[in-house]
Amino acid sequence: MGARDRHDAEEFGTGLPVARTVTPDGDVILLVSGESAAARAAAHAQDDDLTAVIEITDVAPVSVPHRIRGRAWLAGWLTPVRGDDRAACAALLAERQPVGELLGMRESLDAPHAGRPAWMMLRLEVGEISVDDLWGAEHVDPDDLAAAEPDPMVAHESELLQHLHSAHGDRLGELGGLLGAREARGMTAVPLSLDRLGLRVRFMGGPAGSFDARFDFPEPVADICGLRRAMHSLFSAASY
């Protein structure tokens, strides 16, 4: 990233963003408290380059050992969102995360302030991305981030995994029959992740220890109805 000043999460403290989203150009927009260390550092830098790293930790929404499913690091240059971009970025945040608390901040974001604003939007122009997750560790091209579309299951994954875990644990265990030579009978099965392409399950308590297995859907799913059909196909195949 060059020889410019670097600020990481420890320097910025616990001022975690209230909301974040990605613009069509691949920039990351963060909504933070105006009193946060990140906001103060970005405002103090003015037009200077302020390098920063965002670390994102993905934690499974069900109780399972080793719940961290992956981490991502986005490194780039941090600046306050200024001028005409403020209204557009505020609208994008509210559209992507339309919760009452965030919508109530619109007035605070758009109104002038005599002192430090209550909330500040920051822009991270992404230069480098690295990911370490269930599929392995690799670097990601920032252009791929800009072109990526959210998985249609992302808004429902937590609720669906918790439901599968609490109400259909026995059916999940039956999926072990699809693993062929890998004996999973009698092991505890916990759903670990879900996306449009399939379901990942962790099998635990067997003589060989724990392992994860990925069950691909017959075709990508686009909505909850498609997911129901895909899960029915998986369970049906396991019952034979």
Side-chain angles (χ1 to χ4, degrees):
M1 297 303 296
R4 288 168 279 197
D5 291 337
R6 179 187 177 113
H7 294 258
D8 58 23
E10 292 183 2
E11 289 181 82
F12 284 165
T14 58
L16 298 177
V18 175
R20 65 176 183 267
T21 191
V22 179
T23 71
D25 295 329
D27 295 340
V28 179
I29 303 300
L30 307 167
L31 179 64
V32 300
S33 166
E35 296 298 328
S36 67
R40 294 197 302 269
H44 177 73
Q46 296 296 325
D47 295 327
D48 294 335
D49 289 323
L50 176 66
T51 57
V53 177
I54 297 175
E55 179 178 341
I56 301 173
T57 303
D58 178 28
V59 181
V62 294
S63 179
V64 63
H66 311 295
R67 290 179 65 180
I68 295 179
R69 301 185 296 191
R71 287 188 171 92
W73 295 266
L74 290 76
W77 299 271
L78 195 68
T79 57
V81 177
R82 298 187 176 96
D84 295 339
D85 288 341
R86 287 172 55 81
C89 290
L92 186 62
L93 280 169
E95 175 188 353
R96 301 278 179 81
Q97 304 187 38
V99 295
E101 181 183 12
L102 180 55
L103 292 174
M105 295 174 187
R106 288 290 300 279
E107 182 178 351
S108 174
L109 284 167
D110 295 334
H113 296 270
R116 189 182 302 278
W119 302 99
M120 179 180 287
M121 287 182 293
L122 303 177
R123 180 193 305 274
L124 183 75
E125 180 185 350
V126 180
E128 296 179 7
I129 304 171
S130 58
V131 175
D132 186 355
D133 60 16
L134 297 171
W135 288 265
E138 63 179 324
H139 290 282
V140 178
D141 192 309
D143 289 340
D144 292 336
L145 173 65
E149 292 289 338
D151 190 285
M153 294 295 102
V154 69
H156 312 286
E157 186 197 24
S158 294
E159 179 182 356
L160 291 171
L161 290 182
Q162 290 168 1
H163 174 71
L164 285 171
H165 182 43
S166 63
H168 301 289
D170 54 339
R171 302 298 306 274
L172 289 172
E174 294 174 2
L175 294 178
L178 299 175
L179 301 178
R182 300 189 73 173
E183 180 59 59
R185 180 173 300 175
M187 298 182 72
T188 300
V190 179
L192 190 63
S193 66
L194 173 70
D195 56 55
R196 66 188 182 91
L197 300 178
L199 172 71
R200 186 178 290 268
V201 177
R202 179 162 294 168
F203 292 89
M204 303 181 297
S210 302
F211 64 87
D212 294 352
R214 170 83 177 183
F215 300 94
D216 293 332
F217 296 144
E219 60 184 17
V221 300
D223 51 34
I224 295 298
C225 291
L227 177 64
R228 290 195 186 101
R229 292 192 296 269
M231 292 299 300
H232 179 74
S233 296
L234 276 182
F235 289 142
S236 296
S239 65
Y240 285 110

